Every structure is written in structure tokens, then in C-alpha cells.
């Protein structure tokens, strides 16, 4: 008789693109483990680490464990589902310098479920940031955080505002 206990795994793993995770499997008395899954994934150890994952790694992964009494080999398996949610990849266009009282427009990417702009004296939840006439108080770094399915990415841009021309008589 070969005891064949169940294999413990984390059944569902959900992460955002660019993150990492680990698969762990344990079963009392197992002498070997083999993981297989999408994209030709194949590992012969109970635990494995992933880093910088993309959505194409999403899918069902199966672990097989081998048990033996020295004469007979028996197997058991279990599965885990991995979901790698996509993020919005973007960068904000650089802005060199703006003249005093010139309008500032910074376009954010489309497709996000929410937008959060922060910057000097500024906050906004619109896709695109617009300031009608900049002053020295608008000089600094503007950061946009976008969310898609609970995954947040961000980008920043520096804005320099030139001093206004002053006439002295």
C-alpha cells in the first residue's frame, strides 16, 4: 500500500502585471514534484518563484507529486489558477519650459478606470490635466496614477515656468 495524500497549493493567485508570485506545493511523503502550465512551463521542484509576470502567464498550472513504498509508485495532482491582470503602460510627454501665464496641458493615457493627478497646487481626477495660465507656483513635478482592474501604474513629468517679463521705468 502506498499512501497518496492530497497536495496543498494556493488555489487562486491574482496579481498585477510586473509583479511576482510563488507556487508552493506540499504533500506528506511525496518524493518528487512536477509543475506544468501555459507557455511550456515545466519545473521539477515543489516551490518556484516568478518575477515580472505578464498577462500571457495567466492560466491553470498543475502540480504532480510522486509517492512510493519502494516497489510501487503512485501519483496525485492538484491545480492552481494564476491571473496576471494587465496594466496601462505609459509615459508622460516631457515639457521643457512654459512661459508665465501660458496654458499647461498634459495628456494621460486612455483606457484607465480612474486617474489621479498630483502636482504643485494641483489635484485632478480627469484623464488630461489642464491649467489655463501657469505661474511660478505651478513649477514642479506632476504625477499621474492610473488604475485598471485594481492595478496602478504611474508616470511623472517636470514642468518649469519662466519668470514673467518685468518692465521697470
Amino acid at each position: 500500500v502506498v499512501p497518496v495524500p492530497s497536495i496543498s497549493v494556493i488555489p487562486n493567485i491574482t496579481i498585477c502585471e510586473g509583479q511576482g508570485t510563488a507556487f508552493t506545493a506540499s504533500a506528506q511523503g511525496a518524493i518528487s514534484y512536477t509543475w506544468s502550465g501555459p507557455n511550456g512551463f515545466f519545473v521539477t521542484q515543489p516551490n518556484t518563484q516568478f518575477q515580472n509576470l505578464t498577462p500571457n502567464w495567466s492560466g491553470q498550472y498543475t502540480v504532480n507529486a510522486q509517492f512510493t513504498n519502494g516497489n510501487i509508485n503512485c501519483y496525485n495532482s492538484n491545480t492552481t489558477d494564476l491571473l496576471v491582470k494587465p496594466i496601462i503602460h505609459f509615459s508622460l510627454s516631457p515639457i521643457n519650459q512654459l512661459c508665465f501665464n501660458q496654458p499647461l496641458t498634459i495628456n494621460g493615457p486612455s483606457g484607465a478606470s480612474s486617474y489621479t493627478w498630483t502636482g504643485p497646487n494641483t489635484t485632478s481626477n480627469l484623464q488630461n490635466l489642464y491649467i489655463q495660465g501657469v505661474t511660478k507656483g505651478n513649477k514642479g513635478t506632476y504625477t499621474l496614477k492610473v488604475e485598471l482592474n485594481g492595478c496602478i501604474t504611474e508616470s511623472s513629468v517636470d514642468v518649469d515656468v519662466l519668470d514673467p517679463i518685468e518692465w521697470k521705468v
Side-chain angles (χ1 to χ4, degrees):
V1 175
V2 178
V4 181
S6 62
I7 306 168
S8 297
V9 297
I10 299 171
N12 297 301
I13 300 171
T14 301
I15 61 170
C16 295
E17 181 177 351
Q19 294 179 328
T21 191
F23 287 167
T24 58
S26 63
Q28 186 173 356
I31 62 168
S32 69
Y33 296 87
T34 303
W35 282 96
S36 60
N39 303 310
F41 178 77
F42 186 81
V43 173
T44 57
Q45 57 191 26
N47 306 318
T48 188
Q49 296 281 330
F50 295 91
Q51 299 199 13
N52 199 26
L53 291 174
T54 58
N56 69 326
W57 283 92
S58 296
Q60 189 171 75
Y61 291 78
T62 301
V63 61
N64 290 296
Q66 180 182 4
F67 305 87
T68 187
N69 67 2
N71 296 316
I72 299 172
N73 292 323
C74 296
Y75 300 87
N76 200 355
S77 65
N78 201 347
T79 60
T80 187
D81 291 312
L82 174 64
L83 173 61
V84 182
K85 297 187 291 185
I87 60 172
I88 295 178
H89 298 273
F90 74 101
S91 60
L92 299 174
S93 297
I95 298 172
N96 295 328
Q97 295 178 327
L98 293 174
C99 293
F100 184 84
N101 210 27
Q102 185 177 358
L104 168 65
T105 302
I106 308 173
N107 295 319
S110 61
S113 51
S114 72
Y115 298 86
T116 304
W117 285 97
T118 56
N121 304 309
T122 304
T123 57
S124 175
N125 295 107
L126 300 175
Q127 177 183 345
N128 301 317
L129 180 65
Y130 177 77
I131 299 172
Q132 185 171 346
V134 294
T135 66
K136 289 304 267 184
N138 299 114
K139 177 181 179 176
T141 302
Y142 291 80
T143 301
L144 173 60
K145 291 183 181 181
V146 299
E147 180 185 346
L148 179 64
N149 299 318
C151 297
I152 296 174
T153 52
E154 70 178 68
S155 183
S156 296
V157 64
D158 292 324
V159 174
D160 186 18
V161 178
L162 300 173
D163 290 327
I165 297 174
E166 291 185 24
W167 298 97
K168 294 185 182 183
V169 215

